[in-house]
Amino acid sequence: MELLRILAAMGVIALHYNDAAMFSGLGKEINLLVLDLDECLWAWPVDVFLMLSGFFSWKKEKVNGKKAFQLYFQLMIFQQAASVIHAVSAGIWPSRGEILANLLPTNYFVVLYLAVYFISPFLNTLLNSLGAEGRKRLVLLSLGIFSVYAYGMDVLSVILDTGLNQASPVSLAGDVSGHTVVNFILCYLLGAEISRRDISIPRPLLTFFGSTAVVMLLSQVFGGAYLAISYCSPFVLLQGASLLCFFRELDIGYVRPVNVLAGASFTVYLAQGLFFPLCGRERFMWARPYVLFGHIVLCQIGIYLLCFVVYLVYTGLTSPLFRGLTGPKTDAHMKNS
């Protein structure tokens, strides 16, 4: 599972490699196709991070405020660092308002992740109160409403060339490509049920490549990867769930380097944007397609390793600060008054 966590973080790097501003002037169709298909191959990481949370946390009746504070504190530090680096490189200094704003968790993934984290004991209590059949029905019904139906409205809106946001079961703004707490909770529940083996996918690798092929096909049908790689797409969810099922059965024993490297996955998510200027993407955008693809892979590996060094420095500096810190517990069992 730690190996899957590493791959998920590398997938985030691949997704962010394809910068719309960077490649807006790229007229080489085959290279644009490579970028789109690579995004489709790595459409699943955000969903998998939440599935992993459910996979490991479904038994827990309490959450620790210390962990949440550590995630928030790291986000705040990296936001400030990125702000200063970008400002100084432009020959200015961050404004007072920007510095104060960086004290807030202005990152949708972290905010939604923590929201699910805090309510997870109550989700677990709900799941534990149901039998295996009840849990399966809850997850499948949620998939039908918040993935199949919601994504179907997105597809119809493109086909009919009209807005169908008010037909969405998620919000007045539609499903926002799955960037919502609804989809994050759905992924958490999926991960929990895969861990409990209430849900299993036979031939998971075949399922992964099949769902990836569908995502790639949709990206070509709809003229780009944006709609195809929506986090609430049933095919993207199937990508993530099938990988989780595959790695659940993969027994490679305890490999210390994998576990150590996996500890940096959150740091990779926060810090990877700082290293893209070092990649020289503008020099490879017009290269042969296989060279461009190879550069993406090298950037995934190189940026992960650079972020791992940042992780080591950050944890070395902050571990003494957190060592004596204890956090409040949130109990899922509601006491009678």
Side-chain angles (χ1 to χ4, degrees):
M1 289 304 169
E2 296 306 287
L3 182 58
L4 178 57
R5 200 184 304 275
I6 292 172
L7 290 174
M10 291 179 66
V12 172
I13 296 171
L15 290 173
H16 292 164
Y17 181 100
N18 194 356
D19 187 328
M22 173 68 65
F23 298 108
S24 60
L26 180 59
K28 192 173 182 179
E29 292 295 328
I30 186 65
N31 282 12
L32 288 172
L33 178 62
V34 169
L35 292 168
D36 277 348
L37 295 184
D38 190 66
E39 279 196 281
C40 295
L41 177 65
W42 295 101
W44 49 269
V46 167
D47 287 351
V48 160
F49 278 128
L50 270 296
M51 290 181 191
L52 283 169
S53 181
F55 188 92
F56 288 112
S57 301
W58 66 268
K59 292 181 180 180
K60 295 182 179 178
E61 299 178 349
K62 298 178 181 179
V63 296
N64 192 337
K66 177 181 177 180
K67 176 183 176 181
F69 178 76
Q70 286 178 302
L71 293 178
Y72 160 72
F73 186 82
Q74 187 175 357
L75 172 63
M76 181 184 66
I77 294 297
F78 279 72
Q79 285 181 164
Q80 293 288 12
S83 178
V84 170
I85 290 171
H86 291 149
V88 171
S89 64
I92 57 176
W93 188 255
S95 67
R96 182 182 301 176
E98 188 174 358
I99 292 173
L100 292 175
N102 287 331
L103 298 177
L104 301 174
T106 53
N107 182 296
Y108 94 93
F109 174 80
V110 177
V111 171
L112 295 185
Y113 181 90
L114 288 176
V116 176
Y117 177 70
F118 279 121
I119 67 171
S120 61
F122 300 96
L123 297 175
N124 297 341
T125 298
L126 171 62
L127 289 175
N128 293 333
S129 70
L130 302 171
E133 189 61 31
R135 291 192 295 269
K136 185 183 295 186
R137 287 182 181 179
L138 170 65
V139 173
L140 292 178
L141 181 61
S142 298
L143 277 170
I145 296 173
F146 300 116
S147 176
V148 176
Y149 173 78
Y151 186 69
M153 291 301 102
D154 288 345
V155 172
L156 271 179
S157 69
V158 173
I159 294 174
L160 301 177
D161 192 25
T162 185
L164 295 175
N165 285 347
Q166 295 200 52
S168 171
V170 179
S171 77
L172 186 61
D175 57 43
V176 203
S177 298
H179 297 73
T180 67
V181 73
V182 173
N183 191 62
F184 276 37
I185 290 175
L186 177 58
C187 292
Y188 180 93
L189 296 177
L190 265 173
E193 291 311 286
I194 290 173
S195 179
R196 302 176 79 138
R197 299 180 183 272
D198 291 336
I199 292 177
S200 187
I201 297 175
R203 299 183 179 180
L205 271 188
L206 182 62
T207 302
F208 170 76
F209 287 113
S211 54
T212 299
V214 174
V215 174
M216 290 179 172
L217 177 62
L218 289 174
S219 77
Q220 299 311 299
V221 170
F222 294 117
Y226 182 76
L227 176 61
I229 65 172
S230 169
Y231 295 153
C232 67
S233 161
F235 305 107
V236 173
L237 288 168
L238 191 56
Q239 280 181 307
S242 58
L243 283 176
L244 193 62
C245 288
F246 173 75
F247 279 92
R248 180 187 64 187
E249 304 302 331
L250 184 64
D251 184 9
I252 60 174
Y254 176 76
V255 183
R256 180 172 171 76
V258 170
N259 287 60
V260 172
L261 283 168
S265 59
F266 184 65
T267 301
V268 172
Y269 176 83
L270 294 180
Q272 34 103 24
L274 298 174
F275 296 107
F276 277 115
L278 305 177
C279 292
R281 287 174 291 177
E282 64 280 357
R283 296 198 301 272
F284 287 87
M285 58 192 287
W286 295 96
R288 295 172 185 261
Y290 66 86
V291 174
L292 174 60
F293 180 76
H295 186 248
I296 296 172
V297 174
L298 288 176
C299 286
Q300 288 178 276
I301 297 171
I303 290 178
Y304 195 105
L305 293 177
L306 287 171
C307 290
F308 178 70
V309 173
V310 173
Y311 162 77
L312 292 178
V313 174
Y314 174 81
T315 52
L317 293 174
T318 59
S319 291
L321 298 176
F322 294 125
R323 194 168 293 130
L325 182 65
T326 58
K329 305 286 186 176
T330 299
D331 198 332
H333 295 300
M334 301 177 69
K335 309 288 193 302
N336 292 325
S337 57

